[in-house]
Amino acid sequence: MKNYFSSDFKLGILGGGQLGRMLLAETQKLDIYTAILDSNKNAPCAQICNEFHQGDLLDFDAVYNFGKTVDLLTIEIENVNLDALDKLEDEGLTIFPKPKDLRIIQSKARQKNFYVDHQIPTAAFSHYAYLEELKHAVENDIVEFPFVWKAARFGYDGNGVKIVRNIEDLESLPLVECITEKLIPFKNELAVIVARNADGEVKTYPVVEMEFHPEANQVEYVICPARIDSQVAENARELALKIVSDLDFVGLLAVEMFQTVDDRILVNEVAPRPHNSGHYSIEASYTNQFEQHLRSILNLPLGNTNSKVAGIMVNLVGDEGFSGEVIYENIEEILKIDGVTPHIYGKKETRPFRKMGHVTIVNENIDDARKIAQQVKETIRVISK
Amino acid sequence: MKNYFSSDFKLGILGGGQLGRMLLAETQKLDIYTAILDSNKNAPCAQICNEFHQGDLLDFDAVYNFGKTVDLLTIEIENVNLDALDKLEDEGLTIFPKPKDLRIIQSKARQKNFYVDHQIPTAAFSHYAYLEELKHAVENDIVEFPFVWKAARFGYDGNGVKIVRNIEDLESLPLVECITEKLIPFKNELAVIVARNADGEVKTYPVVEMEFHPEANQVEYVICPARIDSQVAENARELALKIVSDLDFVGLLAVEMFQTVDDRILVNEVAPRPHNSGHYSIEASYTNQFEQHLRSILNLPLGNTNSKVAGIMVNLVGDEGFSGEVIYENIEEILKIDGVTPHIYGKKETRPFRKMGHVTIVNENIDDARKIAQQVKETIRVISK
């Protein structure tokens, strides 16, 4: 094993946002030296990593030159220049997750094709290179309202996903490459995080359940464990494992799924990194997802994915109608409640629906946790001065 | 309440060692801006705090000038220049723990006098300004062998404490101010951490039990909860609360105690900050001691001090016979065991008995945790290249 701890080994991370920041908590715990590349000199990681490089993650030279300075490269965001990663890999750099998997995952169209090719159940879809192609398909009754529209690339936090119910909705879409999916009635949105190291050791976290904010299309509560039938949970874990195996994936893969009304599991999409749906693990799990990400990419033994207690995560997003220097109103009220831990991501400015932090609620009893989560949600407000 | 989160509030910390480093994990989680003063430009905190100032903690000007740049001042080590703190406090700076309490705690002689003045049970002691005074007392049969010798100041991790059994032991002691204590036969060494904020809200952590390494006089295992009678535990918590109350203390106070063979509780000494005996709390407690320290000094509501699971901490100290660039031999072996989390403090060079990190073992069953702790202890070795 390479000596990663208090050594001259240098871990490179592409991206310096909140996921990187939570990953740094773990590199600091294990004293692994980290260098970060991000275009924003005020990124959440900028002040607290060992080494910060400013540069565009989609720029070949920025990524390539950064990669040449590190011993192993990983990501905290998948929208990075893959040609640079391919060249770095050709030149011998270890990169996890693998560039070939990032290439599949970066594009929702390629992801969908991958699922179809590997008999992985997912909602039926069509792919359009431009919005005009989609309009043409609608005009010719090849696609019927309502349907789900997804930008093929650069979607995040619910951006890049719309339910299209009529011609007006269609007209408001951006002109970009996209896919459409049948609108499937589902009981639950679920997620499973899988970790796999280069030796092939693999572990799944418990299935979590997600409740979405009806307007913002952002996750409002992530509940671990999901309050679902154990057979459904088992099916979800097996499906997530199949994807990891079919991709020959190394790292952390978050698999988002739908549980249909007839209890089938369909894959929605995957993320090749620590994920919002795993933040509860910092307080609730024996090994949190960020430490597990490090263990998997460094080919260390994977940690126990079981939970000590039930966990619920509430996203802290900017309130509508507030922009500017952030204030976390009533944060002291939620700190009074047992088992409540706020995480503040270090963004100085709030905007409506901007993801500013999250709050984890842990409790021995999941129903008590759910009540407290609601109380937290109704108490704290992300506003501006 | 003041706005501490993602704001221009600046927390100053005197000391940038491993306790500071674990405290920074919490300031980062809450996005509280931190400035650190330490004499060592390679201190564990140097690279990961928002602002690092190099300077001697015992130097009036260094501490005073640093204090003038921050909004609230705290410590991660108690050996700091108190005259500077007094002047800063006079000039309006909020300092927790209070300088008056640090003055009592810095000196073991003053601590002992405080216990006597407040009818707090502690081992009988004598105080000597110089070693010569102690020798004189021995010659005149005022002190009898064996006894415990403690340097009045600057002891840490078992340094500054010796059991003196004969004239030869006496001759090898340093010339400094000291106290001596009767050697008391005890069943257990216990510790209780108490948090108190400026509003007077107070919470105690469960009583922990400490096992010491027989030669190095350093803690080998910290076990939470202590495997003792519940009435003894209750007495220990009450005694710790009395000390906090008598000091009118604000912050985190770690109280080390002896459980005598007849089940009395005697105070050994206190530390006015997060403490080695509370490291288990990072993985085991609802609110870890570092977050609790922040809550207490910022006058925020205190968090739940209960444990999710049993926790045991093993100190990682440099093996005898190794000095130089550190290697954590067999760390990958301990990572294979469920519920095992290493913390590496970021010191590049090991020395015999130097505190280099710790490992936490958490488990639903304390006896299983204890077995695993032994396995961890027998597996990992802190050696040099």
Side-chain angles (χ1 to χ4, degrees):
Chain A
M1 190 198 74
K2 208 172 151 37
N3 176 27
Y4 302 116
F5 315 100
S6 296
S7 78
D8 56 8
F9 170 83
K10 192 189 284 188
L11 174 65
I13 304 172
L14 296 174
Q18 63 258 24
L19 297 173
R21 190 173 167 102
M22 289 184 267
L23 193 56
L24 287 180
E26 306 307 312
T27 59
Q28 288 170 12
K29 186 170 86 182
L30 295 169
D31 197 35
I32 296 169
Y33 187 100
T34 52
I36 285 197
L37 180 71
D38 197 287
S39 61
N40 177 3
K41 72 172 170 29
N42 296 316
C45 291
Q47 285 195 319
I48 60 172
C49 54
N50 297 95
E51 215 178 273
F52 183 75
H53 299 240
Q54 196 176 358
D56 185 344
L57 297 174
L58 291 167
D59 180 73
F60 179 93
D61 290 336
V63 171
Y64 177 77
N65 292 334
F66 175 73
K68 294 307 277 184
T69 69
V70 303
D71 296 309
L72 190 149
L73 191 58
T74 191
I75 55 150
E76 64 104 53
I77 182 168
E78 53 273 29
N79 290 317
V80 299
N81 188 296
L82 293 180
D83 295 334
L85 295 195
D86 286 341
K87 187 167 159 66
L88 288 163
E89 198 176 46
D90 283 348
E91 291 172 7
L93 184 64
T94 304
I95 305 174
F96 291 129
K98 299 171 188 167
K100 76 164 187 62
D101 287 339
L102 293 179
R103 199 172 289 279
I104 293 166
I105 293 165
Q106 259 193 0
S107 154
K108 289 202 171 124
R110 277 200 213 98
Q111 259 192 62
K112 281 290 202 177
N113 284 324
F114 181 86
Y115 302 144
V116 172
D117 291 348
H118 290 80
Q119 289 88 49
I120 293 163
T122 188
F125 80 105
S126 304
H127 176 211
Y128 304 95
Y130 306 97
L131 186 64
E132 282 308 310
E133 275 189 25
L134 169 56
K135 285 184 181 170
H136 194 256
V138 170
E139 280 156 20
N140 290 280
D141 294 331
I142 297 166
V143 180
E144 287 181 7
F145 296 120
F147 61 84
V148 180
W149 169 92
K150 293 181 177 177
R153 291 200 54 184
F154 304 120
Y156 68 95
D157 292 354
N159 287 302
V161 178
K162 287 270 184 320
I163 295 174
V164 178
R165 298 183 188 280
N166 50 46
I167 291 286
E168 290 73 49
D169 287 350
L170 189 63
E171 291 299 333
S172 69
L173 295 173
L175 304 177
V176 298
E177 182 189 358
C178 63
I179 63 169
T180 61
E181 285 178 0
K182 243 182 100 171
L183 189 61
I184 287 176
F186 57 84
K187 272 188 200 168
N188 280 306
E189 290 210 39
L190 307 175
V192 176
I193 291 173
V194 185
R196 186 167 177 271
N197 68 18
D199 280 350
E201 188 189 3
V202 63
K203 291 203 175 170
T204 59
Y205 279 84
V207 183
V208 302
E209 174 192 343
M210 295 181 285
E211 285 185 40
F212 278 70
H213 186 282
E215 287 138 53
N217 200 28
Q218 285 185 324
V219 177
E220 197 163 25
Y221 302 106
V222 172
I223 301 168
C224 179
R227 296 161 299 179
I228 56 173
D229 181 82
S230 65
Q231 186 57 53
V232 173
E234 187 50 36
N235 294 347
R237 286 173 97 150
E238 278 177 16
L239 184 56
L241 281 171
K242 174 171 166 50
I243 297 172
V244 163
S245 168
D246 288 351
L247 285 169
D248 189 27
F249 190 82
V250 173
L252 216 63
L253 192 78
V255 182
E256 295 187 57
M257 295 175 268
F258 298 114
Q259 177 189 1
T260 64
V261 287
D262 55 348
D263 282 344
R264 285 177 307 134
I265 302 290
L266 303 179
V267 173
N268 179 16
E269 62 183 59
V270 301
R273 51 168 168 74
H275 189 252
N276 194 259
S277 66
H279 289 351
Y280 77 87
S281 66
I282 298 174
E283 283 80 16
S285 305
Y286 281 93
T287 311
N288 75 51
Q289 66 165 345
F290 299 97
E291 180 181 335
Q292 197 78 295
H293 178 76
L294 290 177
R295 288 179 181 233
S296 63
I297 62 171
L298 300 177
N299 202 25
L300 293 168
L302 300 180
N304 183 356
T305 55
N306 291 339
S307 294
K308 300 166 192 164
V309 282
I312 298 188
M313 189 219 53
V314 177
N315 279 316
L316 285 180
V317 299
D319 257 43
E320 283 189 276
F322 293 93
S323 289
E325 278 182 69
V326 64
I327 303 263
Y328 296 91
E329 192 181 66
N330 296 329
I331 189 168
E332 71 280 11
E333 293 303 316
I334 69 165
L335 287 170
K336 285 179 189 162
I337 311 169
D338 277 355
V340 170
T341 305
H343 292 252
I344 307 294
Y345 294 159
K347 302 173 185 175
K348 305 301 172 209
E349 305 267 324
T350 184
R351 292 191 299 270
F353 301 115
R354 187 178 192 197
K355 216 181 263 182
M356 300 295 289
H358 73 264
V359 182
T360 309
I361 297 93
V362 289
N363 201 291
E364 284 185 13
N365 182 302
I366 197 167
D367 297 321
D368 291 344
R370 182 62 186 78
K371 280 176 207 143
I372 293 169
Q374 180 109 22
Q375 192 187 342
V376 165
K377 185 83 193 165
E378 289 167 1
T379 303
I380 190 167
R381 287 176 75 212
V382 183
I383 60 172
S384 56
K385 277 191 185 171
Chain B
M1 190 199 70
K2 205 168 153 44
N3 175 28
Y4 301 115
F5 314 101
S6 295
S7 78
D8 56 7
F9 171 82
K10 191 188 287 189
L11 173 65
I13 304 172
L14 297 174
Q18 62 258 23
L19 297 173
R21 190 173 167 102
M22 290 184 266
L23 193 57
L24 286 181
E26 305 307 313
T27 59
Q28 288 170 12
K29 186 171 87 183
L30 295 169
D31 197 37
I32 296 168
Y33 187 100
T34 51
I36 284 195
L37 180 70
D38 197 285
S39 60
N40 176 2
K41 72 172 172 23
N42 297 316
C45 291
Q47 286 196 320
I48 59 172
C49 55
N50 296 96
E51 216 178 273
F52 183 74
H53 299 240
Q54 196 176 357
D56 184 344
L57 297 174
L58 291 167
D59 180 74
F60 180 93
D61 290 335
V63 172
Y64 176 78
N65 292 333
F66 175 74
K68 294 308 278 184
T69 69
V70 303
D71 295 309
L72 190 148
L73 191 57
T74 189
I75 55 149
E76 64 105 52
I77 182 169
E78 54 274 28
N79 289 317
V80 299
N81 188 296
L82 293 179
D83 294 334
L85 294 195
D86 285 342
K87 186 167 159 69
L88 287 163
E89 197 176 45
D90 282 348
E91 291 172 7
L93 184 64
T94 304
I95 305 173
F96 291 129
K98 297 170 188 168
K100 75 164 187 63
D101 287 339
L102 293 178
R103 199 172 288 278
I104 294 166
I105 294 165
Q106 260 192 0
S107 155
K108 289 205 171 119
R110 279 200 211 96
Q111 258 193 61
K112 281 289 205 177
N113 283 324
F114 181 85
Y115 302 144
V116 172
D117 290 349
H118 289 81
Q119 288 89 48
I120 293 163
T122 190
F125 80 106
S126 303
H127 175 210
Y128 305 95
Y130 307 97
L131 185 63
E132 282 305 311
E133 276 190 25
L134 170 56
K135 286 184 180 170
H136 195 257
V138 170
E139 281 157 19
N140 291 281
D141 294 330
I142 296 166
V143 180
E144 287 179 8
F145 298 119
F147 60 83
V148 180
W149 169 92
K150 295 181 176 176
R153 289 200 56 182
F154 304 120
Y156 68 96
D157 293 353
N159 286 302
V161 179
K162 288 269 185 319
I163 296 175
V164 179
R165 298 182 188 281
N166 49 47
I167 291 284
E168 290 73 50
D169 288 350
L170 189 63
E171 290 301 331
S172 69
L173 294 173
L175 304 176
V176 298
E177 181 189 359
C178 62
I179 63 169
T180 62
E181 285 179 0
K182 240 181 103 172
L183 188 60
I184 287 178
F186 56 85
K187 272 189 202 168
N188 280 306
E189 291 210 39
L190 307 174
V192 175
I193 291 174
V194 184
R196 185 167 178 272
N197 68 18
D199 280 351
E201 187 188 4
V202 63
K203 290 202 176 172
T204 61
Y205 279 84
V207 182
V208 301
E209 175 191 343
M210 295 181 286
E211 283 186 42
F212 278 70
H213 185 283
E215 289 137 53
N217 201 26
Q218 285 185 324
V219 177
E220 197 164 24
Y221 302 107
V222 173
I223 301 169
C224 178
R227 296 160 301 176
I228 56 173
D229 181 83
S230 65
Q231 186 58 53
V232 173
E234 186 52 36
N235 293 348
R237 287 173 98 149
E238 277 175 17
L239 183 56
L241 282 170
K242 172 168 167 55
I243 296 172
V244 164
S245 167
D246 287 352
L247 285 169
D248 190 27
F249 191 81
V250 173
L252 216 62
L253 192 78
V255 183
E256 295 187 58
M257 296 176 268
F258 298 114
Q259 177 188 1
T260 64
V261 287
D262 55 347
D263 283 343
R264 285 177 307 133
I265 302 290
L266 303 180
V267 173
N268 178 17
E269 60 182 60
V270 301
R273 51 168 167 76
H275 188 253
N276 194 259
S277 66
H279 289 350
Y280 77 89
S281 67
I282 297 174
E283 282 80 15
S285 305
Y286 282 93
T287 311
N288 75 51
Q289 66 166 346
F290 299 96
E291 179 180 334
Q292 197 78 294
H293 179 77
L294 289 178
R295 288 179 182 234
S296 63
I297 62 171
L298 299 178
N299 202 25
L300 292 167
L302 300 181
N304 183 357
T305 55
N306 291 340
S307 295
K308 300 166 193 165
V309 282
I312 298 188
M313 189 218 53
V314 177
N315 279 317
L316 286 181
V317 299
D319 257 42
E320 283 189 274
F322 294 92
S323 289
E325 279 183 67
V326 66
I327 303 263
Y328 295 92
E329 192 181 65
N330 296 328
I331 189 168
E332 70 280 12
E333 294 303 316
I334 70 165
L335 287 170
K336 285 179 188 160
I337 311 168
D338 278 355
V340 169
T341 306
H343 292 251
I344 307 294
Y345 295 158
K347 302 172 184 176
K348 306 301 174 209
E349 306 267 326
T350 184
R351 290 192 300 270
F353 303 114
R354 186 178 193 199
K355 216 181 259 182
M356 300 295 288
H358 73 264
V359 181
T360 310
I361 297 95
V362 290
N363 200 292
E364 286 186 11
N365 182 300
I366 197 166
D367 297 320
D368 291 344
R370 183 61 185 77
K371 281 177 207 142
I372 294 170
Q374 180 108 21
Q375 192 186 344
V376 165
K377 185 82 193 166
E378 287 166 1
T379 303
I380 191 167
R381 287 177 76 214
V382 183
I383 59 172
S384 57
K385 278 191 185 171

